[in-house]
């Protein structure tokens, strides 16, 4: 299938604006001309080595639910699928390890194009950069718009409010949706479009119940936000459809209920109040700059937001696990326990972790211990990179099934009907296996990318930096040249607005 072969050229595009035109020149997996707009105004977060004992993962033989909801389980369980991938023993994909070097070299070429030799300036992957699409420092402008008497802690609370809602809205937008900024008049799509839209809605008070304090998110404000109002804020119409609008609206409604937990979110029922919980937590060191452990932040997000995920997701003993799914490449009964068949990803929770650390670090000099527990994000840009470079290829029977599903879906009004690619739902075994192998290969790529860049010791790129400057960006750019009309990934996923 031609859709799954490595492409021999890549586009030079402004991926942020709908009105931009692409300039394409043939190459052999070489990046386009430098495009510095996504470097943003942010210095990279260069954490000092932090020596803090972290709690061990829950014992899955004692409490499999707690284990599968932990951050430790994501990498550990994905390793099972990754090991099969390296032996070319997957259920749905063929793996050509001879292409691994080309994939790594392509990622390196993207990083060199945009950052050489100042690799230390690469910011970690996070939502902040999306707000700066087009080179405009929107978060800086937001901060300077607030009175000077708003102290650093309240400023951080407000950014946590904004970033959390923006991340929850950041599922795949589909190929037809766009957003025209009310402030600049420019048009943006995909993640950047959703970032700008959520920021402008935040400033307009869409998420706040207090008209005198529009720049906050609270439970009462979310409770009064209807799906119709969300559609207005996101400029959704029949001509401008957004995939998963209903799921996004439902997610915010459930967030309103979750925020009523005073332990994490205080009496004012705001996401930003988690800052106070984190600073007061017994595991937080406050001798100089505060040091918060990733497991502590993770517990706030998983326990505090557990009720927002659809109850129809995978469960153990009646407890929903969130973004965790059975996979045929995992051990299964009767030779294994039922929990061993499940691969957890918790993509949105990880995306929240990466994104919320930035304002806490930049505004309050908070450091985080255990960042290496976080994995590469198992989503379609990072995973699409592996397919478009030829490292993994969907097997013919699955490709046919996915293509049939695409053609059936194309009959639905507003759904894409050009540049046909296989289509699957998020729980399909193809997608689960694809996401698990993506987590493993991203770890492999980090080692090879640092080797090719000749970076050692403290100069090595972190996983979050490689995601930001290399794999996520590279996956998007390959999609743009491989499928220039839709710019969609090589496998399309039916989104309900709560996973991708």
């Amino acid at each position: 299938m031609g859709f799954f072969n490595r492409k021999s050229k890549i586009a030079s595009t402004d991926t942020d604006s709908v009105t931009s035109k692409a300039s394409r020149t043939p190459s052999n997996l070489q990046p386009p001309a430098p495009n510095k707009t996504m470097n943003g105004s942010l210095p990279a977060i260069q954490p000092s080595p932090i020596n803090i004992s972290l709690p061990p993962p829950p014992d899955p033989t004692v409490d499999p639910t707690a284990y599968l909801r932990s951050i430790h389980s994501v990498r550990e369980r994905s390793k099972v699928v990754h090991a099969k991938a390296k032996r070319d023993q997957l259920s749905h994909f063929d793996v050509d390890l001879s292409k691994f070097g080309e994939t790594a070299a392509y990622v390196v070429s993207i990083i060199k194009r945009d950052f050489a030799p100042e690799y230390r300036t690469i910011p970690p992957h996070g939502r902040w950069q999306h707000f700066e699409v087009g080179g405009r420092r929107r978060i800086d402008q937001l901060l300077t718009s607030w009175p000077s008497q708003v102290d650093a802690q309240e400023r951080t609370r407000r950014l946590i409010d904004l970033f959390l809602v923006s991340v929850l809205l950041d599922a795949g937008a589909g190929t037809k949706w766009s957003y025209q900024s009310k402030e600049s008049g420019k048009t943006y799509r995909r993640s950047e479009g959703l970032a700008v839209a959520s920021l402008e809605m935040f400033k307009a008070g869409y998420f706040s119940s207090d008209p005198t304090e529009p720049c906050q998110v609270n439970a009462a404000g979310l409770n009064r936000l209807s799906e119709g109002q969300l559609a207005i804020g996101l400029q959704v119409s029949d001509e401008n459809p957004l995939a998963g609008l209903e799921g996004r609206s439902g997610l915010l409604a459930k967030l309103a209920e979750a925020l009523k937990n005073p332990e994490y979110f205080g009496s004012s029922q705001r996401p930003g109040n988690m800052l106070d919980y984190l600073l007061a937590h017994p595991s937080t060191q406050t001798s100089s700059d505060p040091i918060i452990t990733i497991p502590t932040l993770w517990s706030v997000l998983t326990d505090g937001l557990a009720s927002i995920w659809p109850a129809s997701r995978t469960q153990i003993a009646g407890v929903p696990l969130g973004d965790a799914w059975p996979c045929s490449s995992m051990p299964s009964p009767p030779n294994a326990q039922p929990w061993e068949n499940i691969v957890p990803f918790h993509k949105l929770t990880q995306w929240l972790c990466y994104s919320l650390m930035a304002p806490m670090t930049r505004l309050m000099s908070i450091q985080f211990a255990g960042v290496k527990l976080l994995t590469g994000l198992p989503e379609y840009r990072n995973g699409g990179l592996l397919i478009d470079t030829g490292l993994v290829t969907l097997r013919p029977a699955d490709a046919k099934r996915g293509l049939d599903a695409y053609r059936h879906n194309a009959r639905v009004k507003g759904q894409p009907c050009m540049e046909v690619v296989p289509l699957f739902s998020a729980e399909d075994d193809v997608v689960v296996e694809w996401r698990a192998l993506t987590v493993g290969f991203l770890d492999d790529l980090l080692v090879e990318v640092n080797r090719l860049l000749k970076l050692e010791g403290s100069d090595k790129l972190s996983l979050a930096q490689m995601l930001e400057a290399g794999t996520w960006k590279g996956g998007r750019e390959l999609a743009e040249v491989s499928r220039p009309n839709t710019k969609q990934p090589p496998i399309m996923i039916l989104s309900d607005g709560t996973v991708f």
Side-chain angles (χ1 to χ4, degrees):
M1 300 296 297
F3 300 114
F4 309 102
N5 295 332
R6 179 179 60 81
K7 303 299 178 180
S8 60
K9 59 183 179 180
I10 183 75
S12 173
T13 62
D14 176 355
T15 64
D16 310 321
S17 175
V18 168
T19 56
S20 300
K21 300 297 182 182
S23 162
R24 299 182 173 87
T25 55
S27 64
N28 182 21
L29 277 180
Q30 295 299 313
N35 178 356
K36 298 287 187 178
T37 60
M38 284 303 292
N39 291 13
S41 61
L42 303 175
I45 299 175
Q46 292 291 342
S48 302
I50 300 173
N51 295 316
I52 292 182
S53 296
L54 299 175
D59 185 344
T61 64
V62 176
D63 191 347
T65 300
Y67 172 71
L68 291 172
R69 294 176 67 222
S70 74
I71 181 57
H72 306 79
S73 68
V74 179
R75 180 173 279 108
E76 288 177 2
R77 301 311 296 158
S78 292
K79 280 182 178 178
V80 178
V81 178
H82 181 226
K84 284 192 171 183
K86 295 177 84 169
R87 298 193 299 268
D88 197 16
Q89 294 176 349
L90 295 175
S91 300
H92 306 288
F93 293 88
D94 293 317
V95 179
D96 183 355
L97 289 177
S98 71
K99 298 292 180 64
F100 179 79
E102 292 181 42
T103 303
Y106 171 69
V107 173
V108 166
S109 69
I110 292 286
I111 295 171
K112 284 184 174 180
R113 177 198 69 190
D114 290 348
F115 288 97
E118 304 296 330
Y119 302 120
R120 291 179 65 84
T121 66
I122 298 173
H125 202 40
R127 193 63 166 154
W128 193 308
Q129 286 80 259
H130 291 168
F131 290 118
E132 301 217 322
V133 59
R136 184 175 178 184
R137 301 178 180 181
R138 293 177 180 85
I139 299 301
D140 288 349
Q141 293 167 358
L142 178 66
L143 290 168
T144 58
S145 72
W146 294 334
S148 58
Q149 57 265 35
V150 180
D151 63 20
Q153 196 155 329
E154 174 57 20
R155 288 169 181 265
T156 305
R157 289 191 198 99
R158 293 183 183 186
L159 291 191
I160 292 173
D161 282 354
L162 167 63
F163 281 39
L164 188 140
V165 165
S166 187
V167 165
L168 292 184
L169 289 173
D170 186 33
T175 60
K176 296 187 177 181
W177 179 82
S178 64
Y179 180 82
Q180 185 177 31
S181 170
K182 295 179 180 179
E183 297 178 358
S184 69
K186 292 184 178 180
T187 301
Y188 303 101
R189 306 173 71 241
R190 301 186 183 276
S191 287
E192 291 83 1
L194 289 165
V196 173
S198 60
L199 173 58
E200 293 187 357
M201 291 174 70
F202 177 77
K203 293 163 71 174
Y206 270 74
F207 313 115
S208 172
S209 64
D210 186 351
T212 67
E213 292 290 351
C215 291
Q216 66 174 10
V217 176
N218 61 11
L222 293 174
N223 270 330
R224 72 178 190 179
L225 181 65
S226 68
E227 183 178 334
Q229 290 170 318
L230 181 63
I232 292 171
L234 296 174
Q235 300 177 359
V236 177
S237 66
D238 289 343
E239 294 74 32
N240 190 38
L242 176 69
L245 175 66
E246 181 180 359
R248 287 175 170 83
S249 178
L251 208 56
L252 294 185
K254 290 180 179 179
L255 175 62
E257 293 304 308
L259 292 177
K260 295 176 183 178
N261 183 338
E263 180 182 6
Y264 298 127
F265 306 117
S267 59
S268 58
Q269 301 176 349
R270 291 174 53 192
N273 288 334
M274 75 171 71
L275 174 66
D276 304 84
Y277 174 87
L278 292 167
L279 290 174
H281 195 273
S283 67
T284 298
Q285 292 191 6
T286 56
S287 56
S288 54
D289 291 334
I291 302 175
I292 296 170
T293 70
I294 288 297
T296 302
L297 175 58
W298 187 263
S299 70
V300 172
L301 297 176
T302 54
D303 296 338
L305 303 180
S307 61
I308 75 175
W309 308 117
S312 59
R313 295 274 173 80
T314 308
Q315 299 182 4
I316 290 183
V319 179
L321 298 178
D323 184 13
W325 314 86
C327 180
S328 65
S329 290
M330 299 293 286
S332 59
N335 299 317
Q337 296 299 312
W339 68 266
E340 295 182 80
N341 186 238
I342 297 169
V343 186
F345 300 114
H346 306 304
K347 181 259 181 180
L348 274 178
T349 305
Q350 293 208 71
W351 185 220
L352 277 171
C353 276
Y354 281 123
S355 297
L356 296 183
M357 285 190 290
M360 287 190 267
T361 297
R362 292 189 171 100
L363 273 65
M364 295 190 63
S365 299
I366 294 172
Q367 297 185 65
F368 291 88
V371 174
K372 288 186 177 181
L373 291 173
L374 299 172
T375 73
L377 296 181
E379 48 78 58
Y380 55 78
R381 292 305 182 199
N382 291 318
L385 171 78
L386 306 181
I387 294 175
D388 279 335
T389 57
L391 179 58
V392 300
T393 303
L394 188 62
R395 289 183 174 163
D398 291 298
K400 181 182 183 304
R401 180 167 64 89
L403 292 171
D404 289 343
Y406 184 99
R407 295 185 182 101
H408 178 77
N409 188 68
R411 301 189 188 110
V412 178
K413 183 178 180 181
Q415 292 299 306
C417 55
M418 64 175 68
E419 294 183 329
V420 178
V421 297
L423 171 70
F424 303 95
S425 59
E427 69 272 15
D428 192 286
D429 201 56
V430 166
V431 173
V432 178
E433 187 176 77
W434 183 31
R435 297 178 74 196
L437 66 88
T438 296
V439 171
F441 277 120
L442 286 172
D443 282 343
D444 291 348
L445 282 171
L446 178 63
V447 174
E448 183 65 7
V449 164
N450 276 314
R451 188 188 72 81
L452 292 174
L453 289 173
K454 296 180 172 60
L455 298 177
E456 299 179 349
S458 62
D459 290 331
K460 286 183 178 179
L461 297 185
S462 68
L463 181 58
Q465 287 176 304
M466 184 189 73
L467 295 175
E468 177 65 25
T471 57
W472 189 88
K473 184 188 294 184
R476 172 185 268 191
E477 293 184 6
L478 279 174
E480 287 167 355
V481 68
S482 302
R483 295 161 293 277
N485 293 304
T486 61
K487 302 177 176 61
Q488 63 192 9
I491 292 177
M492 186 174 168
I493 301 168
L494 276 175
S495 173
D496 66 356
T498 65
V499 178
F500 298 98

